[in-house]
Each structure stands twice: as structure tokens, then as C-alpha cells.
Amino acid sequence: MANIRYVKVADKKEAAEVVLERMREELAGGLEVLGLATGSTMEPIYAAWADSNLDFSRVISFNLDEYVGLGADNPNSYAWFMNHHLFSKKPFKETNIPDGTSGDLEEECEEYEARLRDAGIDLQFLGVGENGHIAFNEPGTPFTSITHLTQLTESTLGVNSQYFEDRSEIPETALTMGISSILSAKKIILIAFGEKKRHALEQLIKGKETTKYPITALLSHPDVTIITDLDGIK
Ligand code: GLP
């Protein structure tokens, strides 16, 4: 597909180098609003940024998602992840993460969506779930969705519970940017490592949009880069 560019890398280290170079160009080109992702995929990427001379002090960030009920002091929250891997090492002008501890989650989603639409995301980073989810938009989520409260699937709970001491500790709900929120970014970079992600990427390559695989929503976006260590993905 003409709107999607595939970049094959040898490993996570090369991916981090490729992304670092791209960030350098984007910042030099005047990037102001950056969409950020969490997950193990992003760890080497943020480590490379933290070690670099990249300057984010004029950048506003928006994160994709957050577990309901987990605050920034909880090591399993995405707020904690971002502080630990990036924000404590690189100052940003402003950072935004949905507040999963808000007393009014519906209002939190509405406000978050308004803030990100108002800012306008220049570049959005994405990972992908094994079931093809992007952010926490699980299979079946409409492509028109905006920031919302979502119920996590058994597949996602199973995969993500590895980070929790006890399976029963993982929240079953989360706040997530919607698919339409994500598609509103001017540019998108999706990073996927390892065979576990092959099935999801193959759905994209098939070139047919289906809500069964949220990743296929990217087919309608004008500027997507996929960075992967998987062979035969193009
Ligand atoms: C979580 C996040 C997603 C992320 C996915 C992949 O479910 N909500 O935004 O893309 O995990 O995680 P990992 O990078 O650890 O494979």
C-alpha cells in the first residue's frame, strides 16, 4: 500500500537508531506535539532518546492509554512507565496521560480527547498487541472511536499480566485514545518486534480494513511507517 512504508531492521538496537534519527529530523522540522506509546517495544527506543542530545523541552506529549485505577505511583501504571523510562530523563514542555484514577472517567475521556484534538498530534508512536490491538482498542472497536473507557480482552489480560506480580492485580478496564483519535495524527510510526506480532502485521499487509484487527485502520492513513525486525513483512 502506497501510504505505508516498511522499514526492516536487524534488531531492537537498529530500530532504536532508526527512530532516533527520525526523531532528530522531526524535531529539526518543527515537531511540537508527540504521541507516545508504552509497552516493552518502546523501552529500547526511549533508552536511546534518554542517552541522546535530543531536546524535547518545546514538545507537548500525549500518551495513548492508561489502566483504570492505577496512579503514577503504581509501577504498573503507564504514567509510572513514562516517568521511569523517559520523562525523568528528558524534560518535556508538557506531558499528558489519561488519568485512570479520575472520579469521573467519562469526563476525563472527553477532556483528553478535546485536549489532543486542540493540540493536533504531529507524530504518533504505536505498538501493536498480539491480537492486533492498537493502544487499548481491542478487536471490534469502531474506527470512528474517540478516547473512551474500554474492557480489556482475555488475550490482552493474559499477555499484559506478565508485568503484574499476580494475575488478579491487572485492571480489566482502561482509558484509551480511540482509533479516530490515533488516525488524526499527521504521521504514525508503528514498531513491532518478534514472531508474536507477525499475525497482526500480516493482517495489515492483506490490505483489507476490518474492525476484527484494529491495526488495519492504519490502511486509511496517509503517512505510516512500520519498523519491524520480522522478515518478509512489506
Ligand atoms: C499494551 C499497550 C499497547 C501496546 C501493546 C504492546 O497493550 N496498551 O499500546 O502497543 O501493549 O506491548 P509490547 O510492546 O509490550 O508488546
Side-chain angles (χ1 to χ4, degrees):
M1 305 294 286
N3 63 320
I4 300 185
R5 196 165 65 98
Y6 290 92
V7 178
K8 162 80 172 82
V9 290
D11 50 25
K12 294 180 182 184
K13 189 166 166 280
E14 193 188 345
E17 287 163 6
V18 167
V19 173
L20 185 67
E21 211 33 59
R22 174 76 187 267
M23 268 319 297
R24 216 180 280 292
E25 286 165 21
E26 293 287 343
L27 287 165
L31 174 138
E32 290 176 348
V33 185
L34 186 58
L36 296 173
T38 50
S40 58
T41 306
M42 296 307 292
E43 288 181 24
I45 308 296
Y46 294 152
W49 294 4
D51 275 349
S52 75
N53 61 358
L54 291 185
D55 178 7
F56 293 96
S57 62
R58 281 191 287 271
V59 174
I60 297 176
S61 71
F62 283 88
N63 261 83
L64 289 168
D65 46 14
E66 180 61 282
Y67 289 108
V68 166
L70 303 193
D73 55 344
N74 186 316
N76 283 123
S77 72
Y78 287 161
W80 192 94
F81 177 101
M82 291 310 301
N83 287 333
H84 180 74
H85 291 286
L86 187 61
F87 300 153
S88 60
K89 296 169 180 162
K90 284 284 177 191
F92 276 65
K93 181 177 169 190
E94 182 190 308
T95 61
N96 296 274
I97 300 182
D99 180 5
T101 65
S102 165
D104 189 337
L105 294 172
E106 209 165 297
E107 188 183 65
E108 171 63 15
C109 290
E110 267 171 41
E111 277 177 11
Y112 198 75
E113 183 73 20
R115 253 186 289 152
L116 78 88
R117 294 282 177 165
D118 192 44
I121 296 176
D122 292 310
L123 172 63
Q124 175 68 57
F125 280 91
L126 285 182
V128 61
E130 290 176 29
N131 64 357
H133 74 230
I134 50 175
F136 269 139
N137 292 284
E138 297 282 31
T141 308
F143 289 178
T144 52
S145 55
I146 60 173
T147 304
H148 63 285
L149 172 66
T150 185
Q151 186 74 37
L152 302 177
T153 59
E154 276 308 314
S155 156
T156 299
L157 290 170
V159 173
N160 289 12
S161 63
Q162 63 181 300
Y163 302 110
F164 291 74
E165 259 180 36
D166 196 290
R167 159 89 203 227
S168 65
E169 284 173 28
I170 184 168
E172 293 185 358
T173 52
L175 302 185
T176 182
M177 277 191 204
I179 294 178
S180 160
S181 333
I182 292 169
L183 294 179
S184 74
K186 292 192 192 88
K187 301 174 189 173
I188 294 175
I189 296 178
L190 183 145
I191 309 172
F193 297 132
E195 287 299 327
K196 286 180 176 171
K197 305 292 172 76
R198 185 180 290 281
H199 181 69
L201 286 192
E202 279 174 353
Q203 307 315 307
L204 190 63
I205 294 164
K206 278 186 191 162
K208 191 170 164 287
E209 287 186 35
T210 166
T211 57
K212 238 178 109 183
Y213 292 100
I215 189 175
T216 64
L218 300 183
L219 289 165
S220 66
H221 192 277
D223 189 336
V224 179
T225 305
I226 308 283
I227 299 175
T228 184
D229 62 353
L230 286 169
D231 286 321
I233 298 288
K234 53 176 164 305

